[in-house]
Amino acid sequence: MVLALCGADRNAVRAMQQFLSEGAWDDRAILQRLWPEVDADLGDDDGVLILEGSDFPKQGNESVGVKRQYRAELGKTANCQAGVFLAYASHHGYTLLHRRLYLPEEWVTDAAYAERRQACGVPSDITFTTKPMLGWSMIEGVVQAGTLRCRWVACDEGFGRDTALLDKIAQVGLWYFAEVPHDTQVWQARPATAVPDWSGRGRKPTRERVVADAPAPQTVAALAHRLPANAWSQQLIQEGSQGPQVAEFALVRVSAVRDGLPGPEVWLVLRRSLTDGELKTYLCNAPAAIPQQRLVRTSGVRWPIEICFATGKQELGMGDYEVRSWRGWHHHLTLVIVALAFLVRVQDRLKKTRRP
């Protein structure tokens, strides 16, 4: 960008590098200022926050947070930085909202990484935080700001398997629609619980347990396999560019499992492909009275964040940065997020002003 604007001016190039890597400007304040602008363009009471990870391949080991770790895009371990991102989608459009860099545990706790932490400017108060909890910190920030209307949180099974994250989302009044692993356990009928009788020895029990003759929880995959054929029906998810997207669905009210006990009553949404029979399993805490077509439609809302990643990496240099520091990474991704929101706004205005 500097070469295009200023030519081969070394001072200008260095100034831009310093602006990104060392500038003291507050990227969090910029993102918070962005959210009401997103609401003005895309905001809707039924808006969806989408939580997903995206990784950035790196050579060497000097960049902040870099490590050989699993890359979902490749399906294998590779040297990379891992980011956690929050996007927003409504029937008006979609864009990115937030970003956090994931630091592997050894980067935070291992003394062997102390020199690298200092060189990369990792704040001294940073503690190890899992990807789901990084996601929660972003969701919490948007909710507390109160400037962007939303109703749902959608996420893949990497986040959906974390019950603490799901409970936190529910506590702030949002509805999660979380893909979960097939071995996730639920009760189709809520089991009875009771505090066990005291045997007369040791401490008296105080914590409830599932009663002895209650059925054990079952995996969501096993429950799907046992459902009768008439429990499934073909449903239209959305009209896509390649035609209508249709799948088989079964929706069942179940009790989630929390620490071996029955937890919240939730929807188990089962989605089966018509072409290859692939099964997708979701848990959702939307009310029991919600129209089932809303659940069907919400099962197809995660794709916008993938479009945001593709646009960001192909058009906005999302992964093409020459910064190694903690501050530089967050500064760069903040500018990419703002640029993407700007393009979304311009595109929308061009559509509205276009004439035949």
Side-chain angles (χ1 to χ4, degrees), residues 190-196 205-211 258-262:
R190 192 175 187 86
T193 61
V195 176
T206 58
R207 185 174 182 268
E208 286 191 345
R209 298 284 189 272
V210 176
V211 298
R258 295 292 187 270
D259 297 324
L261 292 170

Side-chain angles (χ1 to χ4, degrees), residues 26-333:
D26 187 354
D27 46 51
R28 294 170 299 177
I30 290 177
L31 291 177
Q32 289 174 352
R33 179 64 185 84
L34 174 69
W35 301 335
E37 298 295 330
V38 172
D39 187 78
D41 292 335
L42 310 177
D44 188 90
D45 290 338
D46 214 35
V48 185
L49 301 176
I50 310 169
L51 191 57
E52 189 113 359
S54 185
D55 303 325
F56 304 88
K58 287 292 168 185
Q59 301 295 326
N61 57 10
E62 300 301 318
S63 297
V64 61
V66 72
K67 179 182 179 290
R68 286 191 61 81
Q69 51 195 320
Y70 182 76
R71 284 194 66 195
E73 296 99 323
L74 301 179
K76 63 180 183 180
T77 299
N79 204 57
C80 64
Q81 291 171 302
V84 181
F85 292 85
L86 190 68
Y88 182 81
S90 72
H91 69 278
H92 302 296
Y94 45 85
T95 192
L96 292 173
L97 296 178
H98 212 329
R99 76 292 168 265
R100 290 291 300 273
L101 178 67
Y102 170 73
L103 287 183
E105 188 167 8
E106 56 266 44
W107 259 88
V108 180
T109 61
D110 195 333
Y113 282 79
E115 187 174 334
R116 267 187 276 183
R117 287 196 299 270
Q118 184 175 7
C120 293
V122 176
S124 59
D125 60 348
I126 290 292
T127 58
F128 173 67
T129 307
T130 64
K131 291 179 181 179
M133 287 302 102
L134 288 176
W136 164 246
S137 71
M138 294 188 291
I139 294 169
E140 184 181 34
V142 171
V143 171
Q144 289 180 346
T147 55
L148 178 59
R149 289 166 286 168
C150 55
R151 165 54 60 196
W152 301 86
V153 176
C155 59
D156 65 19
E157 67 177 48
F159 298 95
R161 70 172 70 244
D162 192 302
T163 57
L165 170 64
L166 302 186
D167 290 344
K168 286 179 179 292
I169 292 170
Q171 287 166 8
V172 296
L174 295 177
W175 299 343
Y176 56 77
F177 197 98
E179 187 174 355
V180 295
H182 287 181
D183 60 359
T184 300
Q185 293 189 324
V186 296
W187 276 284
Q188 193 167 358
R190 192 175 187 86
T193 61
V195 176
D197 293 333
W198 185 42
S199 65
R201 301 177 61 184
R203 303 174 72 177
K204 286 187 176 181
T206 58
R207 185 174 182 268
E208 286 191 345
R209 298 284 189 272
V210 176
V211 298
D213 58 348
Q218 58 184 318
T219 68
V220 292
L223 192 157
H225 181 71
R226 294 191 182 105
L227 286 177
N230 61 9
W232 297 84
S233 62
Q234 289 189 20
Q235 300 285 345
L236 172 67
I237 302 170
Q238 61 185 4
E239 293 285 353
S241 59
Q242 305 298 320
Q245 186 180 2
V246 180
E248 283 190 313
F249 282 85
L251 295 90
V252 186
R253 290 293 285 180
V254 297
S255 292
V257 177
R258 295 292 187 270
D259 297 324
L261 292 170
E265 298 288 327
V266 296
W267 283 104
L268 169 61
V269 180
L270 303 168
R271 171 177 155 180
R272 194 163 60 192
S273 170
L274 297 179
T275 54
D276 59 10
E278 181 187 14
L279 177 68
K280 296 282 190 179
T281 54
Y282 308 88
L283 292 181
C284 175
N285 67 322
I290 192 172
Q292 294 194 359
Q293 184 54 42
R294 284 185 74 186
L295 297 177
V296 169
R297 187 172 68 246
T298 306
S299 75
V301 301
R302 278 211 334 262
W303 62 268
I305 196 169
E306 298 295 344
I307 303 298
C308 290
F309 290 154
T311 303
K313 291 181 178 181
Q314 294 169 14
E315 307 293 341
L316 299 172
M318 186 175 181
D320 302 316
Y321 47 84
E322 296 182 0
V323 294
R324 291 178 173 176
S325 69
W326 171 270
R327 177 179 288 177
W329 190 92
H330 288 90
H331 277 179
H332 175 77
L333 269 298

